[in-house]
Amino acid sequence: MTYTLEGTTGPWEVVIGLEVHAQVTSQAKLFSGAATAFGAEPNSQVSFVDAGFPGMLPVINAECIAQAVRTGLGLNAEIHLWSRFDRKNYFYADLPQGYQISQYAHPIVGQGAVEVTLADGSTKTIGITRLHLEQDAGKSLHDQHPTKSYIDLNRSGVALMEIVSEPDMRSPEEAGAYLAKLRQIMRYLGTCDGNMDEGSMRADVNVSVRRAGEGYRTRCEVKNVNSIRFVMQAVEAEARRQIEVWESGGTVEQETRLFDTARGVTRSMRSKEDAHDYRYFPDPDLPPLVLEQGWVDQLKAGLPELPDQRRARYAALGLSAYDAQVLTAERETAAFFEEVAHGRDAKAAANWVTGDYFAALNRLKRTVTDSPVSAKHLGELLDLMADGTLSGKLAKEVFEAMLEADEAPGAIVEKRGLRQVTDSSAIEAVVDEVLAKNADKVADYRSGKDKLFGFFVGQTMKAMAGKGNPALVNEVLKRRLA
Ligand code: ADP
Ligand code: MG
């Protein structure tokens, strides 16, 4: 189904392309040895290079290059063995060098593709135009002093990957799904932590609208949106604004806009006429970046299993598409599931993890990373069901006890005497007692009131404190009532 927005003159299609800035996970900055940890004391992670001192020379950090190549491989993209760093010149207080080192004409990664899954289960491929490396700028702090602005250069020089998509997205949902997928891939790869609230990932959202069947119209770029939800909101707000402009006889002008999250509208930041002339030229301090194919192959061989591959593997184990999707969403969840499922029935493990376990996490407001029960103990619980020690009902009771103290389920079973009764003669004795006590109901049952069977099951289970093996209880009752 195509997503459209209804104007006063008919439906409009929305066209979206994203430019995502993703901070490279690395110990040191792109061209200096200063640290990159988030939340450090202002200006405590700044080298002379990052502060733009005269005469300082950038030295490339090979790990950042490897991270960009890994990301490119994870995006099924072409790796360019020859790329180049350019200077992007502009003046701003948080940019001490007076230019940003970036890759303009020759990025390290070229065209690729990412597949996203939408809520209705359909998939769509979004084209990647390029990925290039660049330095981040510092940060101005405006609210610390009545008359002065402060500058924090901790972020100055940190390596960023700018990932540019083709204008392939057609709805807020697709834009959100694409961003979520990018983040998931980079988290699996360990190349960007994807923490949007810490600024590790932010998106410039390009939006235009058109009538069905038309070529692209002029786009506007909404800068620096810092959550998936805001990206989706910005797309819709900006598309609605453009529809109004077109429908009232106006023309959408190409410009850079900001999303006002409080009011849910975009507003103009600068028009194309005030667009910077960055006067790009090759950085004379840096030679072209030349990679060896053998090194790229080595990085490729060392890539971890990615979300798509993992999902396919789970589907092959017999999991539903939905379970496979949910269990692979976060790397930590997948690892937890794998430990529970190891050497066991994968489907039973998936049912427990996505069922009772996720419900418990929700209820306790916990996550897999601070799980109230260990994967080891949850696996042991499955074993106790598989070997008949616990019925499904008793297992739930043991699980509740495990949530209170992450104790081994075997120990809980012993301590509380929760072992299921699978001894037929013990069950027969109880059944005979129940039938003797309810002779009138037995007569009713035998004269055709089939529905009473459930009553006998309930009475027997009650008499056994819920510990009778349900299948055996059923079987004995059928036999005795025949
Ligand atoms: P620039 O380099 O000037 O920012 P690009 O052509 O590289 O421009 O495009 C930047 C982003 O804008 C890309 O993500 C691209 O997909 C997107 N884009 C280009 N044309 C359109 C359009 N008509 N509508 C929506 N997005 C677009
Ligand atoms: Mg742009």
Side-chain angles (χ1 to χ4, degrees), residues 377-448:
H377 286 164
L378 192 52
E380 288 168 11
L381 184 67
L382 292 174
D383 291 341
L384 292 174
M385 280 185 278
D387 72 10
T389 305
L390 293 176
S391 63
K393 188 167 163 291
L394 284 175
K396 283 181 196 289
E397 209 176 316
V398 172
F399 181 65
E400 286 306 317
M402 288 164 69
L403 291 174
E404 279 155 31
D406 188 15
E407 222 178 330
I412 293 172
V413 167
E414 291 314 323
K415 232 183 352 196
R416 308 201 179 187
L418 289 173
R419 187 177 290 276
Q420 157 173 255
V421 178
T422 51
D423 170 4
S424 315
S425 57
I427 294 174
E428 277 162 9
V430 177
V431 163
D432 288 345
E433 222 171 279
V434 166
L435 298 187
K437 245 192 264 170
N438 296 284
D440 50 336
K441 295 222 167 57
V442 174
D444 289 349
Y445 177 83
R446 290 200 170 120
S447 63

Side-chain angles (χ1 to χ4, degrees), residues 15-19 164-167 206-208 216-217 219:
V15 177
I16 308 142
L18 296 183
E19 296 163 273
V164 182
S165 85
E166 292 292 308
N206 295 273
V207 180
S208 65
Y216 293 144
R217 295 198 185 195
R219 72 187 151 96

Side-chain angles (χ1 to χ4, degrees), residues 36-353:
T36 59
F38 175 78
E41 189 68 9
N43 297 309
S44 62
Q45 300 178 154
V46 188
S47 76
F48 290 124
V49 176
D50 313 319
F53 273 49
M56 293 297 116
L57 288 174
V59 177
I60 192 101
N61 176 350
E63 179 54 17
C64 294
I65 307 298
Q67 293 288 58
V69 171
R70 287 188 190 103
T71 307
L73 293 169
L75 301 176
N76 308 300
E78 193 186 336
I79 306 300
H80 293 157
L81 297 181
W82 193 97
S83 64
R84 194 183 69 198
F85 288 98
D86 302 297
R87 285 189 183 179
K88 178 179 181 177
N89 300 277
Y90 65 95
F91 176 78
Y92 201 74
D94 64 16
L95 190 76
Q97 288 173 137
Y99 57 86
Q100 177 192 27
I101 305 178
S102 179
Q103 295 189 307
Y104 182 59
H106 300 278
I108 185 167
V109 175
Q111 288 188 349
V114 165
E115 194 182 272
V116 298
T117 305
L118 303 169
D120 66 1
S122 65
T123 58
K124 175 162 180 172
T125 301
I126 310 296
I128 301 289
T129 314
R130 58 187 274 168
L131 175 157
H132 66 255
L133 276 165
E134 62 187 30
Q135 302 175 293
D136 204 348
K139 194 173 149 195
S140 304
L141 307 168
H142 298 297
D143 49 0
Q144 313 284 312
H145 186 279
T147 56
K148 294 185 170 108
S149 282
Y150 291 156
I151 305 287
D152 176 7
L153 292 180
N154 281 352
R155 254 186 15 207
S156 172
V158 163
L160 297 178
M161 299 180 279
E162 178 169 337
I163 303 168
V164 182
S165 85
E166 292 292 308
D168 285 346
M169 288 154 272
R170 294 290 177 272
S171 67
E173 188 200 356
E174 288 182 14
Y178 167 76
L179 215 53
K181 188 62 181 277
L182 268 194
R183 184 172 64 177
Q184 186 191 31
I185 290 171
M186 292 191 288
R187 282 182 170 168
Y188 267 63
L189 289 167
T191 56
C192 169
D193 66 28
N195 296 336
M196 296 186 80
D197 50 350
E198 294 179 358
S200 293
M201 210 177 130
R202 41 197 199 265
D204 296 344
V205 186
N206 295 273
V207 180
S208 65
V209 297
R210 66 175 178 183
R211 300 291 195 186
E214 263 184 11
Y216 293 144
R217 295 198 185 195
T218 305
R219 72 187 151 96
C220 289
E221 181 181 16
V222 187
K223 273 277 181 207
N224 263 328
V225 188
N226 64 359
S227 86
I228 291 180
R229 194 164 52 93
F230 287 153
V231 166
M232 295 170 70
Q233 289 173 3
V235 166
E236 185 168 343
E238 176 57 16
R240 287 196 189 281
R241 184 192 70 85
Q242 291 181 15
I243 290 168
E244 258 177 51
V245 172
W246 290 120
E247 289 191 333
S248 62
T251 313
V252 170
E253 303 291 345
Q254 188 172 335
E255 62 182 351
T256 303
R257 303 180 67 87
L258 284 178
F259 184 52
D260 181 335
T261 54
R263 291 171 51 222
V265 297
T266 68
R267 52 192 162 77
S268 186
M269 185 178 149
R270 58 172 184 257
S271 70
K272 200 183 180 189
E273 281 71 54
D274 343 306
H276 291 292
D277 174 5
Y278 292 117
R279 294 168 293 122
Y280 284 99
F281 63 87
D283 191 304
D285 292 337
L286 289 159
L289 182 62
V290 182
L291 310 180
E292 278 169 22
Q293 186 60 49
W295 186 69
V296 174
D297 293 343
Q298 227 176 305
L299 290 172
K300 188 169 187 172
L303 291 186
E305 185 179 46
L306 288 170
D308 287 350
Q309 300 163 299
R310 185 162 289 177
R311 231 162 9 117
R313 186 161 61 79
Y314 286 5
L317 291 174
L319 304 199
S320 68
Y322 178 78
D323 281 357
Q325 172 89 10
V326 173
L327 290 170
T328 54
E330 303 279 348
R331 196 166 59 160
E332 294 78 7
T333 309
F336 185 91
F337 163 70
E338 301 229 347
E339 197 182 334
V340 175
H342 187 71
R344 303 189 175 94
D345 179 43
K347 190 111 185 63
N351 286 343
W352 261 85
V353 173

